[in-house]
Amino acid sequence: MNKATHMTCYHCSSVILPGELIEAELGGILRPFCCPGCMAIAQTIHGEGLEVFYVRRAQSGDKPAAYLASNDIPEKLKPYDDLSLRGRFTRPYGDTGVLETTLRLEKIRCAACVWLCEQHLRRIDGVSDVQINYVTQKVMVRFSPEKTSLARLLFEIERIGYEAWPFEPSLSVDRAKKERRQLLTRLGVALLGMMQVMMYAWPSYVGADDIPLEFDLLLGWTSWVLTVPVMVYSAGPIFQSAWRSVQSFRQVHMLNMDVPIALALALAFIAGTINLITGSGQSYFDSITMFVAFILAARYVELLARQDAQGGAEALAKQLPATCERLPSYPDSFEVEVVPVVNCNPGEVLRVSPGEVVPADGVLIENASALDESLLTGESKPVEKKIGDRVYAGTHNIINPLLMRIDAVGQSTRIAGIASLLDQALLAKPVMVSLAEKWAAYFVGFLLLSAFISSAIWLYFDPSKAWTVLVSVLVASCPCALSLAVPTAMAAAQGAVTKLGLLIVRGHVLEGLVKASDLVLDKTGTLTMGQPELQEVIHLRTGYRREDALALAAALESGQRHPLALSLFRAIESEQLSLPILADPVINLLGKGLSSGSYRLGSAAWLGVTQDARVGQYGQVHLADDQGLIATFVFLDTPRPGLENLLQAAKARNISVHLVSGDDPATVAWWASHVGIHSYRGGCTPEDKYEYIEQLQESGRFVWAIGDGVNDAPLLARADISIAVGAGAPLAAAGADAILTAISLEPLAKTLKLADKTAVIIKENLLWALIYNLLAIPAAMMGLVNPWIAGIGMSLSSLAVTLNAWRLRKA
């Protein structure tokens, strides 16, 4: 029994209590376990030949359920094999019958956890591909439903000690809130401790020598008491990270930046405590609390940026309605009930009113209409839909209330497939390692080695200085300036570009713009505003004034919401014209136009008139009556302001510009010629845009992309640098590295210049940080500086880096 008391579980590392010891032979060695669940997981891992996980992992103290010892899928997971649920949480991949699903992983703590899950899933019969994103903790699995099932995938992940479920955006949002709240609480404790300790330390700063000894002692111990929760609670994750880095050093041969920070904090706290007890020397409690508060503040900002940049599925959820109108008794009854979209299943009938968003993929079964599919295709013109045509989730119904029969929900919809493509692109995005990370990786090891060697030397020659030298070296050369060199410059530059109207989501944007060789633009909503304007009224019949024809056309369009109708209404409003009253009701003839009595407004083919031979315009609408053509209205999309400045800036940098759009090829060709772009392609699907970027990158080009709409999200995520216009869909913004909040494209031209200046500032900061440490470390090693002077030097070096970076805010 006593033997078990001192044992820890081979799998979860928890202490084995008396009477709980279970032993099993793994790899020829008898291993102790605390429960059957841990034993089952370890046997599974060893059985798959993945036992190296136990060398690489971060320890876990969670005990798994005992039922994992069995190979049978538990009852709680079996419903996922129901066809309706499988249809909700999977989507077809290709034409081979393979299904694709996105799962959310839980209890993932380190890269070893990701490696184990990926390797174990790949060994399941029927699984063809596995991709795990450690940041978003999502896994995309492609599998054959004939060989395995969704429930089996979930169970196999649980068998190796983790949890998974089909991805639900609401759960992801809750988790993100919890993570922010925890870090904010730690930051709050550190800030409170810093303010109080600094207040108690103030007499020592102003040189107050008349403080009685008992009061000085009281202030010192009060500062110590306030510093303890900052060290234990606020700085706890720093010490944990440093400990994990030390544990994994044997495998990765690298220490992270938390190691010297943790050492400096620990040694400073120990030295301060010893000095407080002995009544000699400086206490470092004010420096410790301030240091921790600044570090956590920076990490909180980093967390906000990372969460804002995560994946596309959260933004996807915002595109779809929460409820819909279902016809449970169709066709016997047209009675409607309002139900949550998540409760709808394939085969059910829904009604979508004009102006509403289609909640699922399906087939139109009654009432032809027109839908705005720009969210998916990039085509700005409404798409006419007749009975039997497919309609897609996320598109807007424009004209008539339509009835549709569902054939795909959840992850099976087209918009979910685009979100999946976005997630894949985010996984494939190349990681741009900054100069600071390259230098710091070697600097940390050099710092620790220097500190301990110098302390050992002093221990031999003058033991009284050994401890002081050790703390001085760690504090003086604590890589604050080096670690701040890049983040402060990036933060200052991001503040400057934010004032210009560009919100940077990922920090590598400015660095990447310096390397950009190609710029890929979308048309509608990016190169143009996506708002057609009436250019002119031509072929006006004798006896009709322009104002009369315009007012008559607007009267026919009254009640319509498509872009050309809105353009006519804007023209009427700007010219302050009144609409005539039509004697007959307006009839909407889908695919043709509108009619009221003898008046007709619509396409040239329907009216039997000749289309004006102008190429590239947004469109033309003709007004006629029984006597023939009355007038033709010519529309043209408006170019986005600042486009010329952006193209000139790109040309000055020898950046090749490409126009890639889902619009009609003739329209794209006209616009490319109009603005001076020589490389262009029209009629592109989201997949085509994705492949276009891939081809450029395969030829060694560094691609910068600008777009909007869900159809641009894969393009934006695949590009090395991507910017989404602020008016675009949230999903596009989720896949972008930056978001243009200004209407004009001119801020992007200015950002190109700022990127060059930022690169110079970063190099200056790195050089200064390196020079400072090369001077400070030898001085501290030789015992020329004591810890409090080292602390001042560290602060001044960090201040110099920050002030230099601050110059970017005036750019």
Side-chain angles (χ1 to χ4, degrees):
M1 292 297 180
N2 292 333
K3 177 184 177 182
T5 304
H6 299 285
M7 284 187 175
T8 58
C9 178
Y10 174 67
H11 176 72
C12 72
S13 301
S14 60
V15 176
I16 302 176
L17 299 177
E20 290 188 354
L21 175 62
I22 301 175
E23 293 182 313
E25 185 175 312
L26 296 175
I29 301 176
L30 197 63
R31 303 289 188 182
F33 298 98
C34 63
C35 65
C38 283
M39 182 180 68
I41 291 175
Q43 289 174 334
T44 300
I45 293 174
H46 275 261
E48 295 286 349
L50 304 175
E51 58 272 9
V52 71
F53 163 73
Y54 288 104
V55 178
R56 305 172 60 176
R57 67 172 176 171
Q59 299 296 329
S60 167
D62 298 327
K63 292 188 178 183
Y67 67 79
L68 298 176
S70 170
N71 193 41
D72 297 330
I73 298 176
E75 292 297 326
K76 69 174 185 177
L77 296 179
K78 288 182 178 179
Y80 286 107
D81 283 340
D82 182 85
L83 292 179
S84 61
L85 277 184
R86 191 184 77 178
R88 178 181 301 281
F89 296 126
T90 63
R91 52 192 172 273
Y93 179 77
D95 301 325
T96 59
V98 173
L99 297 180
E100 184 180 80
T101 185
T102 300
L103 308 177
R104 179 60 186 264
L105 292 175
E106 187 60 77
K107 300 182 180 179
I108 296 294
R109 293 176 178 83
C110 62
C113 300
V114 174
W115 174 84
L116 177 63
C117 289
E118 185 173 294
Q119 295 300 317
H120 182 62
L121 288 175
R122 288 183 186 276
R123 285 168 165 78
I124 299 174
D125 186 31
V127 173
S128 57
D129 191 19
V130 179
Q131 294 184 34
I132 299 178
N133 188 323
Y134 174 66
V135 175
T136 61
Q137 295 193 343
K138 287 192 291 186
V139 54
M140 184 208 69
V141 185
R142 295 180 186 140
F143 65 96
S144 170
E146 298 177 355
K147 297 180 180 179
T148 189
S149 66
L150 182 58
R152 170 59 64 180
L153 296 177
L154 299 176
F155 178 60
E156 290 297 332
I157 291 175
E158 195 169 351
R159 284 186 68 192
I160 55 173
Y162 304 92
E163 292 180 4
W165 59 84
F167 179 72
E168 291 288 347
S170 59
L171 295 175
S172 176
V173 172
D174 291 341
R175 181 178 177 84
K177 289 181 179 178
K178 181 180 179 181
E179 190 176 4
R180 289 197 303 269
R181 186 169 58 250
Q182 289 178 343
L183 183 53
L184 191 59
T185 303
R186 296 182 191 276
L187 174 59
V189 171
L191 287 172
L192 183 61
M194 178 190 73
M195 290 186 292
Q196 293 297 319
V197 173
M198 289 296 291
M199 182 176 67
Y200 296 140
W202 180 250
S204 65
Y205 285 110
V206 298
D209 298 327
D210 56 345
I211 299 178
L213 180 61
E214 59 270 20
F215 284 106
D216 188 49
L217 195 61
L218 176 62
L219 292 177
W221 280 108
T222 304
S223 298
W224 183 89
V225 170
L226 291 169
T227 305
V228 168
V230 175
M231 288 286 291
V232 175
Y233 178 70
S234 298
I238 296 175
F239 289 104
Q240 292 171 2
S241 173
W243 177 243
R244 286 195 297 268
S245 179
V246 171
Q247 285 183 313
S248 62
F249 180 78
R250 189 175 297 176
Q251 285 75 43
V252 299
H253 305 293
M254 198 75 68
L255 293 173
N256 64 26
M257 297 289 284
D258 283 337
V259 173
I261 292 176
L263 270 176
L265 287 173
L267 293 178
F269 182 76
I270 293 172
T273 303
I274 293 174
N275 290 341
L276 181 61
I277 294 173
T278 60
S280 63
Q282 295 286 328
S283 66
Y284 310 106
F285 304 135
D286 51 345
S287 300
I288 290 172
T289 53
M290 184 187 301
F291 192 26
V292 173
F294 288 165
I295 289 176
L296 294 185
R299 293 187 178 186
Y300 183 71
V301 174
E302 179 188 357
L303 174 65
L304 293 179
R306 177 169 57 84
Q307 289 186 347
D308 288 341
Q310 276 185 12
E314 291 86 349
L316 167 63
K318 299 176 184 178
Q319 303 298 324
L320 302 178
T323 61
C324 61
E325 297 179 340
R326 183 170 64 186
L327 282 65
S329 303
Y330 179 87
D332 299 330
S333 171
F334 285 81
E335 183 179 352
V336 173
E337 62 178 5
V338 179
V339 298
V341 174
V342 295
N343 292 343
C344 296
N345 296 300
E348 295 179 342
V349 176
L350 305 180
R351 184 179 73 178
V352 183
S353 301
E356 292 183 352
V357 179
V358 177
D361 288 3
V363 177
L364 184 64
I365 58 175
E366 282 197 30
N367 301 335
S369 185
L371 274 68
D372 178 3
E373 295 187 344
S374 59
L375 193 68
L376 298 177
T377 65
E379 174 59 61
S380 50
K381 296 180 182 179
V383 179
E384 297 167 359
K385 296 289 184 179
K386 59 183 182 296
I387 295 175
D389 287 346
R390 288 189 57 80
V391 294
Y392 298 102
T395 60
H396 285 74
N397 185 23
I398 295 178
I399 300 178
N400 300 319
L402 61 84
L403 298 184
M404 58 170 288
R405 189 181 305 278
I406 300 175
D407 64 8
V409 293
Q411 293 189 24
S412 299
T413 60
R414 176 171 170 77
I415 195 171
I418 294 178
S420 173
L421 185 60
L422 168 61
D423 285 335
Q424 292 178 50
L426 288 171
L427 284 169
K429 183 183 288 294
V431 178
M432 302 176 65
V433 181
S434 68
L435 288 174
E437 292 174 337
K438 297 176 183 177
W439 291 12
Y442 300 102
F443 177 75
V444 171
F446 171 73
L447 163 64
L448 297 175
L449 189 63
S450 301
F452 287 106
I453 289 178
S454 58
S455 178
I457 293 174
W458 277 104
L459 186 63
Y460 179 77
F461 290 103
D462 187 354
S464 63
K465 288 188 176 182
W467 184 265
T468 301
V469 168
L470 177 61
V471 176
S472 296
V473 173
L474 287 173
V475 173
S477 54
C478 185
C480 292
L482 190 61
S483 61
L484 288 173
V486 175
T488 52
M490 297 306 300
Q494 288 174 17
V497 299
T498 299
K499 294 178 181 178
L500 297 176
L502 182 67
L503 177 62
I504 293 181
V505 178
R506 294 176 174 89
H508 68 280
V509 171
L510 294 174
E511 181 184 0
L513 288 178
V514 177
K515 304 176 183 178
S517 62
D518 290 74
L519 170 60
V520 177
L521 293 167
D522 177 44
K523 188 187 86 65
T524 304
T526 304
L527 185 133
T528 65
M529 296 295 293
Q531 297 176 351
E533 296 294 342
L534 179 64
Q535 294 296 299
E536 55 182 325
V537 181
I538 59 177
H539 302 154
L540 194 63
R541 183 193 295 178
T542 304
Y544 272 87
R545 296 185 307 158
R546 176 184 181 280
E547 293 78 7
D548 296 334
L550 181 58
L552 181 57
L556 286 165
E557 291 280 13
S558 180
Q560 302 297 315
R561 301 301 298 170
H562 61 79
L564 298 185
L566 296 176
S567 178
L568 288 174
F569 298 152
R570 286 194 293 269
I572 289 291
E573 183 178 355
S574 65
E575 298 182 26
Q576 298 182 347
L577 302 178
S578 57
L579 301 183
I581 299 176
L582 301 175
D584 300 301
V586 177
I587 301 174
N588 188 341
L589 302 174
L590 193 65
K592 298 179 180 179
L594 306 166
S595 67
S596 175
S598 61
Y599 294 114
R600 291 175 294 166
L601 179 71
S603 64
W606 178 46
L607 297 176
V609 299
T610 303
Q611 179 85 1
D612 191 78
R614 298 172 187 236
V615 180
Q617 279 81 356
Y618 184 90
Q620 297 180 21
V621 172
H622 308 274
L623 176 64
D625 59 11
D626 293 340
Q627 300 177 22
L629 183 66
I630 297 176
T632 294
F633 303 92
V634 179
F635 300 86
L636 183 66
D637 205 347
T638 53
R640 185 172 287 274
L643 175 63
E644 184 178 353
N645 294 341
L646 176 60
L647 295 179
Q648 287 177 352
K651 183 178 180 181
R653 287 172 147 272
N654 295 320
I655 296 177
S656 302
V657 183
H658 309 258
L659 179 60
V660 182
S661 174
D663 277 4
D664 179 74
T667 302
V668 174
W670 185 89
W671 273 103
S673 174
H674 182 65
V675 300
I677 297 176
H678 303 294
S679 179
Y680 56 88
R681 182 185 297 179
C684 294
T685 64
E687 293 78 7
D688 293 335
K689 295 182 179 183
Y690 186 92
E691 291 173 359
Y692 192 94
I693 295 288
E694 264 190 332
Q695 291 173 0
L696 288 174
Q697 290 173 331
E698 288 172 358
S699 63
R701 312 295 288 179
F702 196 90
V703 181
W704 168 27
I706 307 174
D708 77 322
V710 172
N711 64 298
D712 294 325
L715 172 143
L716 294 175
R718 181 57 186 166
D720 299 294
I721 299 295
S722 55
I723 296 176
V725 295
L731 184 58
D737 299 315
I739 302 170
L740 181 65
T741 58
I743 295 177
S744 173
L745 294 175
E746 186 176 1
L748 300 183
K750 295 180 178 178
T751 302
L752 281 173
K753 297 180 180 179
L754 185 64
D756 287 333
K757 188 174 181 179
T758 302
V760 173
I761 293 291
I762 288 176
K763 291 178 181 178
E764 291 175 352
N765 281 353
L766 290 170
L767 183 60
W768 160 250
L770 185 62
I771 291 174
Y772 162 76
N773 283 288
L774 290 177
L775 294 176
I777 291 176
M781 291 173 65
M782 290 185 291
L784 300 178
V785 295
N786 56 34
W788 71 269
I789 294 178
I792 293 176
M794 179 193 69
S795 302
L796 289 177
S797 68
S798 300
L799 181 62
V801 167
T802 304
L803 291 177
N804 188 40
W806 194 258
R807 296 190 295 127
L808 288 169
R809 296 184 64 86
K810 300 179 181 179

